[in-house]
Amino acid sequence: MRTAVVVGAGVGGLAAAGALARAGWKVTLLEREDRLRAGRSAMVLWPNGVRALRALGLAGGLDGVSTAVPPAGIRRPDGTWLVQPGVSEVESPPVVVHREDLHDAFIAGLGEQVDVRGGIEVKSARVSRERPAVGDGRVTFEADLVVAADGPESVIRRRLASASTFTSAGFAAWRAVIPWFRAPELPADIPPHGESIGGGQRFEYHFLGERGIYWVATVPGALRPEPPAGQLALLRRWFADWHPPIGQLLAITEADDLVQEPVGEVTPLPDSFGVPCGPGGYALVGDAAHAMPHHLAQGASLALEDVATLQTALVGGALGPALLEYGRLRRARIARVLQQSKKAAAVLQPRSRLARANPRNLDRAAAAATEWAGPTG
């Protein structure tokens, strides 16, 4: 029986561990936290991410926990339209889903074949003629395959591709989910989705079924060192003059709702996301391989694409060639999405003329980024 160690229990790690276990591998899942925890916010899954979920057999029940995001248009801070609602080049609408609901589906997909080890912070990775192995300074975990899903600051990526580092894109972002019981005074005619940009800032929100309202705010600058209450005060000030319901949403947000995240990019991309090692090898997935700014909200979808492609590449044959093929397919795909991300970033720059001249470039970049035929190409 082939063995695998998966490092990291985020979207990519959980999906990879479940996919390998269902294919008959003996899997050990290592997580830094003491137990597997779902994120506190939500995420957008684009059509390519939904296709990847289906390829992994994890899309069952998605319709019951997700909410479609129809074309909502894009507005300026004063409320005037940059792009009218209902106009979009994306083939089908993305969906928004709470991380807890997707987490539950991934946990169910692990089955009983995955050995979950919490409280393990991987600090080293072995690259030699022997089988790949990772360790936390006390215990070494060896396997035929190591899947690195340990995030943008990946220890394993630094070992395999030392020139690739995670660098700031000059933005910070916040996410929050507001429960409905805190939103009784919102206008009855508030649209279920909205997106506004101006001065390098961006605010978007989505109704999240029975869960409440999910919003994301992006501003130029570095991560804020203030405690959450101070960060929330800054957000209320920065967006104070923006059109409704942005001010109302921030007013009913509580400090404990906030999740602050860095906005950055792994640069340069590793030469390959699949690295043979001895008789086995390593596979980089998700942000560990190709973290990029969230301007296109493709992070989760690309991680799922990675896992679906890896699952297909590993069917039969030797591990080394399979990993090289995985790397070839994924690096070419990620390079294309990265180009679209840079186009979206140009629209959002504080002094950009592009947003005034052609704001639909943001939508066109999103549409191009969703163009993924499936795990074989």
Side-chain angles (χ1 to χ4, degrees):
M1 176 184 290
R2 283 179 165 179
T3 60
V5 170
V6 178
V7 182
V11 169
L14 287 173
L20 290 167
R22 290 190 297 276
W25 292 62
K26 182 180 179 181
V27 181
T28 300
L29 175 61
L30 307 180
E31 167 56 26
R32 180 183 309 170
E33 301 292 333
D34 58 349
R35 60 186 178 88
L36 304 186
R37 305 173 191 268
R40 293 190 291 117
S41 63
M43 68 177 71
V44 172
L45 287 178
W46 288 85
N48 52 308
V50 175
R51 285 195 292 273
L53 270 181
R54 291 198 182 104
L56 292 166
L58 295 172
L62 181 64
D63 290 344
V65 297
S66 64
T67 304
V69 183
I74 303 174
R75 293 202 273 183
R76 300 180 189 272
D78 64 5
T80 58
W81 291 105
L82 285 166
V83 177
Q84 290 289 332
V87 178
S88 177
E89 299 190 19
V90 180
E91 61 181 54
S92 59
V95 298
V96 59
V97 59
H98 199 287
R99 288 177 179 269
E100 288 181 353
D101 294 325
L102 202 58
H103 181 84
D104 290 345
F106 288 150
I107 294 297
L110 292 179
E112 299 180 356
Q113 303 301 315
V114 177
D115 178 16
V116 179
R117 306 282 188 94
I120 302 292
E121 182 176 359
V122 168
K123 299 178 179 179
S124 65
R126 183 177 71 198
V127 181
S128 68
R129 295 181 180 179
E130 302 176 78
R131 292 201 306 168
V134 295
D136 67 349
R138 300 168 299 168
V139 181
T140 298
F141 299 88
E142 183 181 277
D144 299 312
L145 172 68
V146 171
V147 178
D150 49 342
E153 299 285 3
S154 171
V155 170
I156 299 172
R157 185 195 66 244
R158 289 202 296 268
R159 180 69 178 88
L160 300 176
S162 59
S164 300
T165 59
F166 181 67
T167 58
S168 172
F171 291 86
W174 288 263
R175 305 173 187 270
V177 173
I178 308 167
W180 283 118
F181 71 82
R182 267 199 258 138
E185 298 181 3
L186 289 177
D189 60 349
I190 175 176
H193 310 281
E195 179 178 1
S196 303
I197 59 175
Q201 298 176 187
R202 184 182 189 181
F203 193 99
E204 57 183 304
Y205 71 88
H206 309 282
F207 283 13
L208 193 57
E210 297 180 356
R211 287 281 194 172
I213 305 174
Y214 165 56
W215 62 255
V216 184
T218 307
V219 301
L223 288 177
R224 300 300 306 193
E226 296 87 354
Q231 296 171 25
L232 182 56
L234 287 172
L235 286 165
R236 288 170 175 167
R237 187 176 75 198
W238 290 331
F239 290 95
D241 298 329
W242 288 46
H243 64 82
I246 293 172
Q248 293 96 318
L249 292 176
L250 288 171
I252 59 177
T253 300
E254 296 181 355
D256 288 345
D257 300 327
L258 288 185
V259 178
Q260 184 183 198
E261 298 176 341
V263 180
E265 176 183 343
V266 170
T267 182
L269 287 177
D271 290 338
S272 178
F273 302 148
V275 179
C277 175
Y282 292 86
L284 297 167
V285 303
D287 284 348
H290 47 68
M292 65 181 70
H294 69 266
H295 304 318
L296 297 178
Q298 277 286 340
S301 294
L302 291 176
L304 293 169
E305 282 187 26
D306 289 344
V307 177
T309 304
L310 180 63
Q311 173 184 253
T312 300
L314 291 174
V315 175
L319 276 178
L323 289 171
L324 291 175
E325 176 66 2
Y326 162 73
R328 182 188 68 81
L329 291 172
R330 292 311 297 159
R331 197 180 188 286
R333 162 69 174 152
I334 295 302
R336 293 194 298 271
V337 177
L338 194 55
Q339 287 181 333
Q340 301 306 321
S341 179
K342 293 183 185 302
K343 292 179 181 178
V347 175
L348 300 172
Q349 290 300 321
R351 294 178 177 81
S352 174
R353 296 181 179 178
L354 191 58
R356 294 193 295 272
N358 193 357
R360 290 194 63 189
N361 279 340
L362 195 60
D363 185 60
R364 288 168 181 161
T370 67
E371 295 173 354
W372 180 68
T376 58

